[in-house]
Amino acid sequence: MKRTVWKHLGAWATALLFLAIVWMIAHAAVGNELLVPDFFVCLKETVRLLGTATLWRGIGSTLLRVFFAFSISFVLALIFAMIAYLLPSFGRFFAPIVGFFRSLPTLAVLLIILVWTSAAIAPVVVAFLSLFPSLYAGFFAAFTGVDKDLIEMSRVYRVPLKKRVFCLYLPSVLPLVARESAAAISFALKLVASAEVLAGTFQSLGGLMQEAKAYLQIPQLFALVSIAFLLGLLLETLGMLAARAIERRVR
Amino acid sequence: MDIRISKTYGERVVLDDLALAINEGEILCVLGDSGTGKTTLLNILAGLIDFTGEIEGASDRVGYIFQEPRLLANLTVAENLAYVGADEREIEHMLEKVEISDCRNKRPCALSGGEKQRVAIARAFLSNAPLLLLDEPFVSLDTSLKIRLYRVFARLWEERKPTAVLVTHDIEEAWSLGHRVVVLRDGKIVFDVRTGHTTLPVFGEQSEKKKALLKVLLGGDQDE
């Protein structure tokens, strides 16, 4: 177990080192601080930013939006997927609606949402519009993936609903739901941060990026992007660990 | 139980006004080629699919031994049996009878094919249902294991003598385990014979009735 963890950490460290080397080569090749700033300057800027309250406020408010967008999408996707599974006619009616959500050019729609709401709320709505259809599809697939033979056997033996839910449905559905959710949460961060950049949301990670770009503080912009990347990585890793723990527990 | 049922899937008639009287406490074996509606008949008796016609004296509780054991992979053998409502004492007792007490805490993935089918048999008998349905439960097992499971099944049946309907392709199996054998063809019963067996299972018996049954299975048409 420990050996596998070290192997993974080693792989990640090597990949990050490789990216840093590519960055350094690109910096040397381009030779323009405004296009590709020096890696070590950006690293210094990252360390400086991590010591400021502004950055942590920005991270906090972005994560709060991620949490809201993910929670609303998760709950609604779960409810609608369950209804679609139990009532196939509703599933057929709902499929084109989900298809419509899926095909929305989300960041372009942000402009319309900004007319209706504020720059603080719009990123949450944008993230919801992307997360909901993918989570719904994942959850619906998890429900329909429950072994039909076992459902039939449970019907024949008149197993009470509570027992069916805990012994048959949850062990089958939970690992898939957890895996979908783990992938969705880091995707939510990408969506929220991108929407914040476009909306220029005050006191947010995306808002800080937009500010750095406007004042041509390129090392700060690169530092903020790196922080967002590492944050996404952290969320994805935590999500995957939680998903694996759930899978081990129920299977 | 008196049955008069029909079942169609689209244009295809699977059971064509099939009439059958099943006596209480008998083991009725249903023989027939693939696609003749044997499993459909069991699924109708189990209440799993709709049909037209009527079933008089139908049981509201059934025990069903499927072709595959259909065990929950995340539960142990004992938990699989508790899943259908059996209590600890009954489970212990039943595991002894089907000779897999040592598998009590194992999960299905750690069991052999024969052990899994024993759990399925135990589950069906633990349901205490007055009607047992068996859909080719021994089909994928080797001969020696099959014979051992015939004995286990017959021993368990002997205790409460529930009515049982066993669907099979195998004439030897039907003749070994049945009090009565019917042949299903084109959605109808084309042959109905009593084996005359009182203690089960019976192996290697040769009789005129069995020869007649074989003849029907090979293509002839005959009613007793």
Side-chain angles (χ1 to χ4, degrees):
Chain A
M1 177 70 187
K2 269 187 183 165
R3 210 171 169 179
T4 323
V5 171
W6 282 113
K7 259 187 190 172
H8 276 290
L9 285 176
W12 273 107
T14 314
L16 287 176
L17 189 67
F18 172 75
L19 288 175
I21 291 168
V22 170
W23 185 337
M24 284 182 240
I25 292 169
H27 169 70
V30 174
N32 185 336
E33 292 295 326
L34 284 179
L35 292 178
V36 185
D38 182 51
F39 173 76
F40 291 103
V41 171
C42 292
L43 193 64
K44 223 167 119 187
E45 185 62 18
T46 309
V47 174
R48 188 193 69 78
L49 278 174
L50 286 172
T52 63
T54 317
L55 175 77
W56 289 106
R57 266 200 300 272
I59 290 177
S61 78
T62 298
L63 285 182
L64 205 63
R65 283 187 193 92
V66 168
F67 173 75
F68 277 125
F70 174 76
S71 306
I72 297 165
S73 311
F74 179 90
V75 171
L76 290 180
L78 196 62
I79 292 171
F80 280 100
M82 217 182 291
I83 297 172
Y85 172 70
L86 295 172
L87 302 168
S89 54
F90 175 80
R92 281 192 294 278
F93 154 77
F94 203 55
I97 296 173
V98 173
F100 169 74
F101 270 75
R102 199 193 294 265
S103 59
L104 276 179
T106 341
L107 289 178
V109 169
L110 174 71
L111 299 174
I112 301 170
I113 298 166
L114 272 173
V115 175
W116 295 336
T117 63
S118 67
I121 296 170
V124 178
V125 181
V126 164
F128 167 78
L129 289 177
S130 278
L131 288 180
F132 174 75
S134 68
L135 282 177
Y136 169 83
F139 294 170
F140 184 67
F143 283 120
T144 49
V146 179
D147 192 326
K148 302 264 180 307
D149 284 348
L150 292 178
I151 295 173
E152 200 174 73
M153 180 275 290
S154 306
R155 254 181 81 195
V156 167
Y157 286 105
R158 299 185 172 197
V159 177
L161 183 66
K162 194 177 155 193
K163 229 180 203 176
R164 282 191 218 189
V165 169
F166 283 100
C167 297
L168 172 60
Y169 284 94
L170 282 184
S172 173
V173 166
L174 265 186
L176 289 171
V177 166
R179 247 180 281 155
E180 286 289 334
S181 305
I185 202 152
S186 71
F187 183 46
L189 177 71
K190 281 178 210 151
L191 287 164
V192 167
S194 308
E196 284 171 347
V197 170
L198 283 177
T201 311
F202 179 61
Q203 276 188 350
S204 70
L205 203 52
L208 288 173
M209 286 179 200
Q210 178 64 279
E211 215 176 282
K213 191 213 154 216
Y215 292 107
L216 290 179
Q217 292 168 328
I218 304 304
Q220 191 177 333
L221 177 62
F222 271 69
L224 287 166
V225 171
S226 305
I227 289 167
F229 162 74
L230 291 173
L231 207 58
L233 207 64
L234 182 73
L235 281 182
E236 192 167 329
T237 309
L238 289 176
M240 286 317 284
L241 287 175
R244 269 186 221 159
I246 289 171
E247 198 163 347
R248 268 200 301 272
R249 187 153 178 81
V250 299
R251 280 194 172 160
Chain B
M1 180 166 37
D2 287 312
I3 300 168
R4 184 167 279 276
I5 50 177
S6 296
K7 176 71 189 172
T8 54
Y9 288 111
E11 296 287 297
R12 196 172 144 244
V13 179
V14 181
L15 298 177
D16 184 12
D17 198 24
L18 179 138
L20 182 66
I22 305 172
N23 302 313
E24 208 179 307
E26 78 176 353
I27 300 178
L28 171 76
C29 294
V30 182
L31 276 169
D33 296 334
S34 296
T36 48
K38 303 189 298 292
T39 300
T40 302
L41 171 64
L42 290 193
N43 286 341
I44 288 172
L45 293 175
L48 289 174
I49 52 175
D50 296 329
F51 62 96
T52 49
E54 59 178 340
I55 300 176
E56 268 177 40
S59 169
D60 61 340
R61 280 187 309 121
V62 297
Y64 201 147
I65 307 174
F66 302 92
Q67 215 174 91
E68 341 69 55
R70 298 196 186 184
L71 305 176
L72 277 80
N74 52 311
L75 302 184
T76 63
V77 166
E79 287 165 344
N80 262 286
L81 297 178
Y83 182 68
V84 296
D87 66 35
E88 277 295 308
R89 200 184 47 79
E90 289 174 319
I91 291 170
E92 289 303 327
H93 189 54
M94 187 56 79
L95 287 177
E96 270 172 37
K97 282 184 191 162
V98 295
E99 300 160 3
I100 49 165
S101 294
D102 54 330
C103 298
R104 189 187 189 289
N105 296 317
K106 286 185 186 170
R107 289 194 174 195
C109 60
L111 303 178
S112 67
E115 285 168 338
K116 283 181 195 168
Q117 209 53 307
R118 280 170 200 254
V119 180
I121 293 172
R123 182 175 60 195
F125 278 97
L126 274 173
S127 70
N128 281 326
L131 177 63
L132 275 188
L133 305 171
L134 301 92
D135 188 5
E136 302 186 57
F138 313 111
V139 73
S140 56
L141 307 173
D142 59 62
T143 311
S144 63
L145 189 55
K146 242 184 221 187
I147 290 170
R148 287 217 298 276
L149 285 187
Y150 290 168
R151 290 198 169 112
V152 167
F153 170 76
R155 205 166 55 227
L156 289 171
W157 177 85
E158 194 67 40
E159 284 186 7
R160 276 191 313 106
K161 294 188 168 60
T163 307
V165 181
L166 166 68
V167 152
T168 177
H169 281 111
D170 184 345
I171 183 172
E172 288 302 327
E173 183 170 297
W175 205 260
S176 296
L177 288 174
H179 295 117
R180 184 176 155 208
V181 180
V182 297
V183 178
L184 194 58
R185 185 177 297 149
D186 299 327
K188 286 182 185 297
I189 301 291
V190 295
F191 191 74
D192 189 339
V193 62
R194 295 200 164 276
T195 58
H197 299 153
T198 47
T199 49
L200 299 170
V202 172
F203 298 113
E205 187 192 64
Q206 293 302 326
S207 68
E208 286 308 311
K209 287 177 181 175
K210 193 176 168 188
K211 280 180 195 161
L213 175 64
L214 187 61
K215 202 173 148 193
V216 171
L217 280 173
L218 291 174
D221 237 19
Q222 195 173 335
D223 271 307
E224 196 185 56

